[in-house]
Amino acid sequence: MAKYWVSAGKEFTFLIFHAGFWVDVFCRQWNPFPSRRPSSFPHSNHPVLIRRSRSLRFLVGKRKGGREEMPSFPPPGSLTVCEIRREMVVADSLSDSHAKDAYGKLLGTVFSPIPFEPNALLANTDIPYDDGNRDVVPSSDGLGGVKGSLLKCLSAITRITREPVKLQSKISVHAISWHQHKHILAFISGPNQVSMHDFDDLDCRDPCILSSESQRGVQVLDWRPHGGRTLAVACKGGVCIWSASYPGNSASLRSGSASFLVTPARGSGIRWAMVDFLRSPNGETVTSLSWSPNGRYPLIVVLLSNLIYICCSSKSDPVFVGTGTPIRRGFGAISMLKWSPTGDYFFSAKFDGTFYLWETSTWTSETWSSSGEPVQGAVWGPDGRSLLLAFSKSPTLGSVHFASRPPLLDAHLLPVDLPELASMGASVEMIAWDASGERLAVSFTGNDDNYDGLIAVYDTRRTPLISSSLIGFIRGPGEGPKALAFSFHNNLKQGPLLSVSWSSGWCCTYPLIFR
């Protein structure tokens, strides 16, 4: 039988369908902070149980050592199922039946966990850094010629460095990616492979595995916006471009490129083909990838050759063409790239704590500094006018707000406090912000073992400054799970989906239902 807890931070009535009947639970208000505890709250060191019905159990508060715990703290041994209107629902085991009871009736579907082998992903895979000093001569036609060639060729932004940089493995990477319009999830499931699952294909039980001889040392992946079922996978030596083939629509291959077909998952009629491979100079590793919102070109970082590429494709050709042209000097060791959802700006960061805000009209930039601590994560707001940043060894986020319209780069950097993490002596590791700007997921490290491996979920508001309030925490399956990567999907009207790759070998999807 299933066992559930629902932690409450306010007064509400909770209904859940179980064993053929509805269970009605009324929870009284509970404040998790001792300094603001209601006088009516009982002074007890025991859990406060509202009601118990067969295998269901609902918990609103728990005192530990004379103090209340954080909101919606998942008890040890439990695992999170979903959020329902600011309340985190947890169960005692990983099962589709638990998900069906918790949210299946509301959403009409269940997002089953996907197993994978995590051992190869947990190793420290710092990439050796080439500190060679290189000079690149700008194109003779200047910036105007480069702007004219963006729609037909491959352009490059060079960077030069004189100091060797020890690359950090904790920089947040895009290792999980949802299709923009479909319930198709792709995630890195091994050093040389990507797993893909279509939740809309009811006949497909097992994930499809994308692998080829060209795809080694997978770093980042990203779906192409408005590009059908096209996925770009950054790896050692370049970028693999995968596309789906199904009856009536076969994948297009660039002339001269070799096709690599993947056997379809059981029950699925879709076959995936590697339709192109964008080779990097000297077979170097591509470490960052970010598509433009219109799907015309992605930004790509080739780490060891000190290059940022802007890869372009024509409307008639779904694959990439062109040659490289350098347009700027001066970049240091680049750690990440993020294109804004409107396409007017993009963000780039270096390992030394410097980051850049670019505008894409004239390709100029403004330089910012974070006092030597590198940016570990960056996520754009839904309007493309705000940006959340996570810094190494800090419990506080930074928010960049643009004060003028594009292409102006007038912006302000303001703090976004996360007091619950600060009280634990924690620092932010990774962040993800859903496309509506209403939910923020934060993984962290700290000194409190009770919260080790949890993901904090925040309700965020933009009025116009960004503020956040803690909803609760997500605990993954298995023994001592830690989040390897996570990403949001915003294709449900009830709220976003948060998918997490756990170190225990499961990729789980959590509906955050609040509409």
Side-chain angles (χ1 to χ4, degrees), residues 395 419-427 444-448:
E420 299 82 6
L421 299 190
S423 67
M424 293 186 289
S427 59
F444 55 91
T445 58
N447 300 322
D448 194 333

Side-chain angles (χ1 to χ4, degrees), residues 366-381:
E366 290 287 343
T367 305
W368 295 68
S369 177
S370 59
S371 302
E373 295 297 341
V375 176
Q376 292 200 157
V379 284
W380 285 94

Side-chain angles (χ1 to χ4, degrees), residues 76-145:
S78 68
L79 54 88
T80 305
V81 178
C82 65
E83 174 207 340
I84 297 181
R85 297 179 182 88
R86 292 185 62 91
E87 316 302 334
M88 308 304 291
V89 181
V90 300
D92 58 359
S93 62
L94 192 64
S95 171
D96 282 355
S97 62
H98 298 342
K100 184 177 180 180
D101 287 343
Y103 66 82
K105 295 288 184 180
L106 183 60
L107 299 185
T109 187
V110 168
F111 297 93
S112 303
I114 306 170
F116 67 98
E117 178 52 56
N119 293 338
L121 297 178
L122 296 177
N124 189 343
T125 55
D126 284 353
I127 303 171
Y129 181 69
D130 178 11
D131 61 345
N133 190 11
R134 306 186 182 196
D135 284 326
V136 181
V137 179
S139 172
S140 59
D141 59 356
L143 184 60

Side-chain angles (χ1 to χ4, degrees), residues 353-386:
T354 304
F355 60 92
Y356 295 85
L357 300 177
W358 290 80
E359 56 85 13
T360 59
S361 176
T362 61
W363 297 97
T364 58
S365 66
E366 290 287 343
T367 305
W368 295 68
S369 177
S370 59
S371 302
E373 295 297 341
V375 176
Q376 292 200 157
V379 284
W380 285 94
D383 59 358
R385 304 291 302 278
S386 58

Side-chain angles (χ1 to χ4, degrees), residues 153-167:
C153 72
L154 178 70
S155 298
I157 304 173
T158 68
R159 65 171 175 76
I160 303 170
T161 183
R162 299 181 184 276
E163 297 292 335
V165 178
K166 179 177 175 59
L167 301 181

Side-chain angles (χ1 to χ4, degrees), residues 184-267:
I184 306 178
L185 175 67
F187 66 97
I188 299 175
S189 56
N192 305 318
Q193 70 180 34
V194 171
S195 292
M196 185 179 303
H197 187 74
D198 186 350
F199 288 99
D200 289 331
D201 190 347
L202 300 181
D203 296 327
C204 180
R205 296 289 183 180
D206 301 321
C208 181
I209 306 297
L210 305 185
S211 63
S212 77
E213 292 297 326
S214 301
Q215 188 171 278
R216 298 294 180 185
V218 176
Q219 299 290 318
V220 187
L221 50 83
D222 202 13
W223 290 96
R224 179 182 183 181
H226 311 294
R229 303 188 185 199
T230 301
L231 180 71
V233 180
C235 57
K236 182 179 180 180
V239 179
C240 297
I241 306 296
W242 295 88
S243 188
S245 295
Y246 45 92
N249 186 9
S250 59
S252 301
L253 276 71
R254 181 166 61 90
S255 177
S257 62
S259 171
F260 189 90
L261 294 178
V262 174
T263 303
R266 186 174 58 186

Side-chain angles (χ1 to χ4, degrees), residues 294-354:
N294 59 13
R296 293 289 297 275
Y297 37 83
L299 292 176
I300 296 174
V301 169
V302 180
L303 182 66
L304 302 186
S305 65
N306 306 343
L307 294 173
I308 295 179
Y309 289 102
I310 303 176
C311 297
C312 310
S313 62
S314 64
K315 293 182 179 180
S316 61
D317 191 351
V319 294
F320 303 106
V321 295
T323 58
T325 303
I327 63 175
R328 185 182 173 99
R329 300 172 183 257
F331 271 90
I334 302 166
S335 60
M336 70 177 65
L337 294 171
K338 299 288 182 179
W339 210 304
S340 73
T342 59
D344 298 312
Y345 301 105
F346 77 82
F347 166 86
S348 65
K350 302 195 301 183
F351 286 96
D352 64 359
T354 304

